[in-house]
């Protein structure tokens, strides 16, 4: 039985240990730390005197992890981040119980081997559950901390960020076994060796994306614009000025960041004409992002101009009145008709889940005063002048979702583009975290990816997830041109999808079924021994 001081000490230690993995993500970017970051938390859980205590410390550690990885949300959510972290922390309870069950002994028998499989699988279960959009999406997945490690990025091309998370969690588990279970050193070393061999085999034998041509892509980052009634117009003017400086550099595409246009192009034909003239001047189409209320009469896909390439590429949007965030392609003749309306909106930032119940969040933070309208389908756009290239646009938060970039790749996108804005979190870790996600999406899909923002960090990654050129920092107000290699072929992740998730769920299901059978047999009364038939003596 723990004393009261010991209970409080362990609770505080659980919160702190749960927050440690945040150091592996940008901006600290201590990627190597991810391979031991879970060890203190797991050592605490394995020593829990009861399952109830392990569940509590798993919950507290999960809440600490959410607070640490998302601490930059405090200016927007304020105190509301605390109950949100407490809610999401519950997702780590099954993992905590498995850690205590499988790592709490001496590792004898098959427990160590089972731990090396089941504990990472349970960690992946918590990541999968919180990846639902309504719970905040897949931000801060353990595997995402490895965005700058080329051999691990190759693993992502096989099983996505999920396979990387499994590997990192397995290494942490093996380290715990080496520390506390001398009898388990052989399986622990075998587990570490297996992870290294798997990474090496994938690095040596999995085909790299086959480069086939290139594209000159310009990213326009206007920088910070002071808030005010005319801030949207000043931001547009800054983007216009920087784009004009690209004349003579012969880009194939110019990309602006999220919310770079603050008015619907149907309602403001003057802005549409300015963008068309700008496209003609630089000799390339512009992919801008409109954050505005759409008039009820505006037809999907038109965006203020005649339908052009959008007829072939597909158009997004339900056409319902309201505020949309839309990627719109504009050429020398005006909007081409190709438009994508953001589908997955940021909880609290762009809509309030269950607004009737949680609408009070607008009074304590910068939560959305009005819900944005989501689009209803992804869009792949044809690039005017380049019939061999199709664009797969995403907007901000959506670059965190592996399934969205995978779907666009399967639909024929040769270049993935994320338009983002993190100006509300300019001096936090958020811009660096967000930019790093594009490296994972590029490696998973085998397609280059452009991450274009209003205020930085903007970055471009090649089809293996390697960074191309220099990133644009949050202090920059500039336009930069990148030589982007295109690639063909299909990665195993694009072909087979989230198979590591399915494998983890299957392993956990088998374990639960076996545990249920053992529990059932243990609860059945033992059969009474059968007495031998008595023999009678005959006289």
């Amino acid at each position: 039985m723990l004393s009261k001081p010991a209970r409080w000490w362990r609770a505080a230690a659980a919160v702190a240990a749960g927050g440690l993995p945040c150091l592996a993500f940008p901006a600290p970017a201590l990627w190597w730390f991810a391979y031991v970051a879970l060890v203190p938390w797991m050592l605490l859980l394995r020593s829990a005197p009861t399952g109830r205590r392990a569940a509590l410390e798993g919950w507290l550690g999960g809440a600490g992890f959410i607070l640490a990885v998302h601490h930059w949300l405090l200016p927007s959510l304020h105190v509301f981040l605390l109950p949100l972290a407490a809610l999401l922390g519950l997702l780590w309870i099954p993992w905590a119980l498995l850690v205590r069950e499988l790592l709490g002994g001496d590792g004898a028998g098959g427990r160590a081997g089972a731990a090396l499989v089941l504990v990472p699988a349970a960690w992946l279960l918590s990541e999968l559950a919180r990846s639902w959009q309504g719970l905040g999406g897949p931000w801060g997945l353990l595997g995402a901390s490895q965005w700058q490690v080329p051999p691990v990025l190759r693993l992502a091309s096989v099983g996505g960020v999920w396979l990387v998370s499994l590997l990192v969690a397995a290494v942490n588990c093996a380290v715990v076994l080496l520390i506390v279970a001398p009898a388990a050193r052989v399986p622990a070393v075998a587990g570490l060796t297996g992870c290294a061999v798997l990474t090496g085999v994938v690095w040596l034998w999995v085909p790299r994306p086959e480069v086939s041509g290139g594209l000159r892509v310009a990213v326009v980052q206007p920088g910070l614009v002071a808030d005010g009634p005319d801030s949207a117009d000043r931001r547009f003017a800054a983007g216009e000025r920087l784009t004009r400086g690209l004349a003579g550099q012969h880009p194939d595409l110019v990309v602006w960041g999220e919310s770079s246009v603050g008015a619907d192009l149907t309602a403001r034909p003057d802005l549409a004409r300015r963008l068309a003239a700008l496209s003609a001047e630089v000799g390339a189409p512009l992919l801008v992002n409109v954050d505005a209320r759409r008039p009820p009469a505006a037809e999907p896909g038109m965006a203020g101009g005649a339908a052009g390439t959008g007829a072939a590429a597909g158009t997004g949007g339900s056409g319902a009145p309201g505020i949309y965030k839309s990627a719109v392609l504009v050429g020398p003749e005006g909007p081409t008709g190709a438009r994508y309306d953001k589908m997955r909106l940021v909880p609290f930032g762009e809509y309030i889940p269950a607004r009737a119940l949680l609408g009070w969040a607008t009074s304590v933070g910068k939560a959305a005063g009005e819900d944005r309208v989501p689009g209803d389908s992804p869009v792949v756009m044809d690039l005017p002048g380049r019939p061999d290239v199709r664009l797969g646009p995403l907007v901000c938060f959506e670059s965190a979702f592996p399934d969205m970039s995978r779907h666009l790749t399967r639909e024929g996108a040769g270049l993935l583009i994320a338009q983002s804005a993190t100006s509300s979190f300019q001096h936090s870790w958020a811009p660096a975290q967000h930019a790093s996600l594009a490296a994972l999406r590029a490696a998973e899909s085998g397609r280059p990816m452009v991450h274009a923002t209003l205020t930085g960090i903007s970055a471009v990654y090649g089809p293996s997830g390697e960074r191309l050129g220099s990133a644009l920092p949050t202090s920059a107000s500039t336009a930069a041109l990148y030589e982007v290699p295109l690639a063909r072929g299909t990665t195993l992740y694009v072909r087979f999808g989230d198979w590591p998730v399915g494998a983890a769920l299957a392993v956990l299901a088998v374990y639960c079924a076996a545990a249920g059978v053992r529990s059932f047999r243990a609860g059945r009364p033992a059969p009474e021994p059968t007495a031998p038939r008595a023999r009678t003596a005959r006289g």
Side-chain angles (χ1 to χ4, degrees):
M1 188 72 175
L2 292 173
S3 65
K4 189 173 182 179
R7 290 198 299 269
W8 282 105
W9 178 87
R10 290 183 64 97
V15 175
L20 281 178
C22 77
L23 298 176
F25 296 92
L30 304 177
W31 63 266
W32 52 267
F33 183 62
Y35 294 94
V36 294
L38 301 180
V39 170
W41 190 7
M42 295 169 74
L43 290 175
L44 186 71
L45 293 172
R46 71 174 296 276
S47 66
T50 64
R52 180 177 296 181
R53 187 71 204 183
L56 174 64
E57 292 169 0
W59 173 40
L60 292 173
F65 177 84
I66 295 297
L67 285 172
V69 174
H70 297 82
H71 71 274
W72 44 269
L73 285 172
L74 277 169
S76 294
L77 295 183
H78 291 285
V79 69
F80 196 79
L81 183 59
L82 296 177
L84 182 63
L87 172 65
L88 295 178
L90 295 170
L91 299 175
W92 275 270
I93 289 178
W95 174 76
L97 293 173
L98 263 181
V99 169
R100 179 181 180 272
E101 174 69 22
L102 297 176
L103 297 177
D106 58 3
R111 291 177 54 149
L116 288 169
V117 175
L118 292 167
V119 169
W123 178 272
L124 199 65
L125 179 65
S126 68
E127 293 199 334
L128 176 65
R130 70 185 179 88
S131 294
W132 178 52
Q133 176 195 348
L135 291 179
W139 192 285
L141 301 184
L142 195 59
S145 66
Q146 306 302 295
W147 64 278
Q148 55 186 326
V149 185
V152 183
L153 285 175
R154 190 67 51 78
L155 279 176
S157 74
V158 174
V161 67
W162 312 110
L163 182 58
V164 182
S165 285
L166 279 175
L167 180 137
V168 175
V171 171
N172 276 271
C173 187
V175 171
V176 171
L177 287 171
L178 287 175
I179 293 173
V180 302
R185 284 175 181 168
V186 171
V189 172
L192 291 173
T193 304
C195 290
V197 169
L198 173 63
T199 304
V201 168
V202 169
W203 174 254
L204 292 174
W205 296 103
V206 170
R208 290 165 170 78
E210 184 180 351
V211 175
S212 58
L215 199 69
R216 292 169 63 83
V217 180
V219 174
V220 174
Q221 181 178 296
L224 278 176
V225 173
D227 290 336
D230 63 341
S231 58
D233 291 336
R234 286 185 284 114
R235 183 180 299 113
F236 185 96
E240 193 175 30
R241 172 179 54 81
L242 292 169
T243 303
R244 191 168 287 118
L246 295 167
Q249 298 186 45
H250 309 293
D252 296 304
L253 175 67
V254 179
V255 183
W256 288 18
E258 181 187 14
S259 305
S260 49
V261 179
D264 184 80
L265 296 180
T266 303
R268 290 286 303 274
D270 59 313
L271 295 183
R273 287 192 295 268
R274 287 167 64 181
L275 289 170
L278 198 58
S279 173
E281 186 174 349
V282 301
L286 314 177
L287 186 69
V288 301
N289 189 274
V290 178
D291 182 2
R293 187 176 302 279
R294 186 172 302 163
E299 295 186 11
M302 300 301 288
T309 59
T315 57
S318 61
I323 302 175
Y324 289 78
K325 285 193 175 181
S326 306
V328 178
L329 194 62
V330 181
E333 304 300 322
T336 65
R339 187 192 75 222
Y340 166 66
D341 296 330
K342 184 177 184 180
M343 297 171 60
R344 295 183 182 172
L345 304 177
V346 180
F348 298 98
E350 293 169 338
Y351 79 102
I352 303 293
R355 182 175 285 272
L357 179 64
L358 301 177
W360 59 269
T362 59
S363 63
V364 297
K366 299 178 181 178
E370 177 182 349
D371 291 350
R372 263 55 174 181
V373 181
D376 55 16
S377 62
V379 172
V380 177
M381 302 176 178
D382 295 331
L383 180 60
R386 288 295 301 265
D388 59 322
V389 181
R390 305 184 76 197
L391 311 177
L394 299 166
V395 181
C396 197
F397 173 64
E398 294 178 326
S399 68
F401 292 87
D403 65 302
M404 296 195 73
S405 52
R406 175 175 177 261
H407 178 85
L408 290 170
T409 303
R410 290 174 65 90
E411 292 298 312
L415 175 67
L416 301 172
I417 300 172
Q419 296 173 299
S420 172
T422 52
S423 55
S424 298
F425 316 104
Q426 190 73 354
H427 303 294
S428 71
W429 295 356
Q433 284 186 22
H434 200 177
S436 71
L437 295 174
L440 269 297
R441 303 293 87 84
E444 289 167 344
S445 62
R447 297 293 182 265
M449 186 162 186
V450 174
H451 180 80
T453 74
L454 290 180
T455 60
I457 297 173
S458 298
V460 180
Y461 299 91
S464 293
E466 74 279 15
R467 178 177 284 171
L468 303 176
S470 299
L472 304 182
T474 54
S475 59
S477 174
T478 187
L481 188 65
Y482 296 86
E483 298 284 349
V484 180
L486 301 175
R488 59 187 176 190
T490 304
T491 65
L492 293 176
Y493 176 70
V494 170
R495 187 177 303 169
F496 299 110
D498 300 330
W499 62 266
V501 174
L505 293 176
V507 166
L508 291 171
V510 170
Y511 172 78
C512 292
V517 170
R518 288 196 302 269
S519 178
F520 176 75
R521 288 178 175 174
R524 292 179 61 182
E528 295 183 3
T530 303
R533 181 177 297 180
R535 294 187 178 182
T536 57
R538 295 182 180 270

